[in-house]
Amino acid sequence: METIRKQASKLREQVARQQQAVLRQFGGGGYGGSDTVITDEEEFHRHQKLEKLYLSTRSAKHFQRDIVRGVEGFIVTGSKQVEIGTKLSEDSRRYGSENTCTSGNTLTRASLSFANARAQMEKERGNLLKTLGTQVAEPLRAMVMGAPLEDARHLAQRYDRMRQEAEAQTIEVSKRQAKVRENPGNPELVMKLESAEAKLQDLKSNMTILGKEAASAMAGVEDQQQNQTLQRLITLVEAERNYHQRILEVIERLEGEMRFEQQRIEAPQTPQVENITFSPPPSYEEANDGVNASQMHNGTSDAMGYFLGEVMFPYQAESDFELSLSVGEYVVIREVVSSGWAEGECKGKAGWFPYDYIERRDRVLATKVIEVF
């Protein structure tokens, strides 16, 4: 259809040029002077402008339709991704809430962090899809199907049909002018010529008015298409930029939380004493012959020689004489022996434990002291 339309346009332009040549040839006879030629040239240029406007608005319309289809496809695909991501978030949250692991809760905390971040990311994706639908696809679809474009195209088509009629009438006037010159003084031929010229003038007058209206309408539509399509594209880009910025913030925060949990797993859970071997804890009789903690460690102690220590590494008792410790607990240390063991009490239980697992604390809140007992 496009090829046929271009060929028809070229034929009309050739006919218009031939008409102008005929009018110039017979212009000196008093029928169709220079004013007619000027009018035809103006209409010819107007016709060319309308042709260009028609092609421009049609191309922009197709581009708008392509954007709408692309955005709609993106929304469909994105909605499916939101559904999958939401399901993943729910599964991660379920695992974190159940907390079935017996050796720690590191993965539990990480899964909950992942669930929250994934839910936030899918929420941001949903907001993006909503923005693309309401601020990009819908306005462009309205322009593609809107009345201004169709009305302008109808005006251009009416102008094109009227221009064809005027071209045919111009040829008819040229023929009658030739007959009048061949048969001068024939009143019937003169009357028919005058009637044909009057009809041509009416057609030209109407065609000029309609051409100006069509050109103005098409130019307005072209301007609207260019501006609005550009604005919709800017809106699309800004929405995607904001979306990716928010997603990046969520991912960076999530990565930090998960790295922290990873470090908790990879961090040594016992002091660096690989090359040190502890002898079994001493009996209470042997401990009485040992060195008092205040003497060995050059620290101050109260009248009884006791002092507080904070557990820095966990310790699991391996016999009834040993004391299990958890990180953060406080122990009343009553004695330290040369073998590296200490004897103390924590939460009403007494026993032996490696002295290197604790760190002395001279100033401790009263609440911590109460916890010891």
Side-chain angles (χ1 to χ4, degrees):
M1 292 298 295
E2 177 63 20
T3 303
I4 296 174
R5 182 177 180 82
K6 289 182 177 179
Q7 291 177 350
S9 178
K10 290 180 179 179
L11 289 175
R12 284 196 295 271
E13 292 176 1
Q14 292 176 359
V15 171
R17 294 190 185 96
Q18 293 173 357
Q19 291 172 359
Q20 293 176 15
V22 172
L23 290 172
R24 290 190 183 96
Q25 180 179 356
F26 299 101
Y31 301 97
S34 60
D35 291 341
T36 304
V37 177
I38 293 174
T39 303
D40 286 341
E41 289 178 350
E42 291 177 352
E43 292 301 330
F44 176 72
H45 292 308
R46 183 177 294 114
H47 172 71
Q48 286 185 321
K49 180 179 180 180
L50 279 171
E51 284 287 330
K52 293 178 181 178
L53 285 170
Y54 186 91
L55 294 175
S56 172
T57 54
R58 185 183 60 181
S59 177
K61 175 183 177 181
H62 291 172
F63 180 47
Q64 289 174 333
R65 188 168 55 195
D66 292 340
I67 295 175
V68 171
R69 290 174 178 174
V71 170
E72 288 176 343
F74 186 81
I75 291 175
V76 171
T77 304
S79 299
K80 185 63 177 178
Q81 290 177 329
V82 170
E83 180 182 345
I84 296 172
T86 301
K87 179 64 166 56
L88 177 59
S89 173
E90 294 172 352
D91 293 341
S92 300
R93 192 181 305 280
R94 186 183 306 111
Y95 175 82
S97 301
E98 292 174 354
N99 190 17
T100 57
C101 182
T102 60
S103 60
N105 58 357
T106 301
L107 181 58
T108 296
R109 291 193 297 269
S111 64
L112 289 175
S113 297
F114 178 80
N116 294 333
R118 175 54 59 181
Q120 182 63 30
M121 287 189 285
E122 298 311 326
K123 179 180 178 182
E124 295 295 341
R125 191 195 302 272
N127 293 338
L128 170 65
L129 299 180
K130 181 178 180 181
T131 299
L132 296 183
T134 58
Q135 300 185 26
V136 178
E138 291 181 6
L140 290 179
R141 186 186 299 110
M143 289 192 65
V144 170
M145 306 300 295
L149 175 61
E150 293 302 317
D151 292 344
R153 290 164 68 92
H154 289 158
L155 283 175
Q157 291 169 359
R158 285 176 54 195
Y159 167 80
D160 192 58
R161 289 193 296 268
M162 187 172 292
R163 187 173 188 275
Q164 294 177 22
E165 293 179 9
E167 290 172 352
Q169 188 63 25
T170 300
I171 295 174
E172 179 67 21
V173 168
S174 299
K175 291 179 179 179
R176 294 195 177 279
Q177 288 174 347
K179 288 182 180 180
V180 169
R181 279 190 292 271
E182 293 174 358
N183 301 283
N186 188 328
E188 183 179 356
L189 293 178
V190 172
M191 183 176 61
K192 289 182 179 181
L193 173 60
E194 292 175 350
S195 176
E197 289 177 338
K199 183 178 180 180
L200 177 60
Q201 287 302 122
D202 290 340
L203 284 172
K204 285 185 176 182
S205 177
N206 294 333
M207 182 179 63
T208 300
I209 296 173
L210 186 59
K212 291 179 179 180
E213 292 179 359
S216 176
M218 293 291 285
V221 169
E222 181 187 48
D223 184 66
Q224 183 185 38
Q225 285 179 330
Q226 296 294 311
N227 294 334
Q228 291 299 319
T229 305
L230 176 60
Q231 184 59 46
R232 295 310 104 194
L233 286 177
I234 292 174
T235 300
L236 187 151
V237 172
E238 289 179 345
E240 288 197 285
R241 182 198 63 188
N242 294 334
Y243 163 74
H244 289 295
Q245 286 179 340
R246 295 190 184 100
I247 292 299
L248 180 60
E249 293 174 358
V250 174
I251 291 178
E252 287 180 342
R253 183 170 63 251
L254 173 62
E255 183 186 22
E257 294 174 356
M258 299 189 77
R259 290 291 184 187
F260 176 75
E261 297 299 337
Q262 184 182 35
Q263 291 173 0
R264 290 170 64 94
I265 295 177
E266 296 178 350
Q269 297 300 315
T270 58
Q272 301 300 321
V273 291
E274 289 83 355
N275 298 326
I276 300 177
T277 57
F278 288 106
S279 60
S283 63
Y284 280 98
E285 291 76 8
E286 295 172 336
N288 290 332
D289 297 329
V291 182
N292 186 273
S294 61
Q295 297 173 339
M296 289 187 60
H297 295 274
N298 298 322
T300 59
S301 63
D302 56 18
M304 299 177 65
Y306 297 170
F307 64 91
L308 285 176
E310 181 181 357
V311 179
M312 306 307 296
F313 302 96
Y315 178 73
Q316 183 65 37
E318 298 180 358
S319 69
D320 295 338
F321 299 102
E322 299 179 21
L323 178 64
S324 295
L325 302 175
S326 298
V327 175
E329 292 181 338
Y330 285 83
V331 185
V332 175
I333 302 171
R334 295 183 289 220
E335 188 172 6
V336 179
V337 297
S338 59
S339 61
W341 287 84
E343 191 276 332
E345 181 178 350
C346 180
K347 295 184 178 179
K349 295 182 180 180
W352 292 90
F353 52 86
Y355 181 72
D356 288 335
Y357 281 49
I358 63 97
E359 184 172 324
R360 180 168 180 155
R361 293 286 185 264
D362 293 328
R363 295 182 180 180
V364 183
L365 293 176
T367 54
K368 297 297 183 180
V369 177
I370 294 174
E371 289 177 1
V372 173
F373 300 99

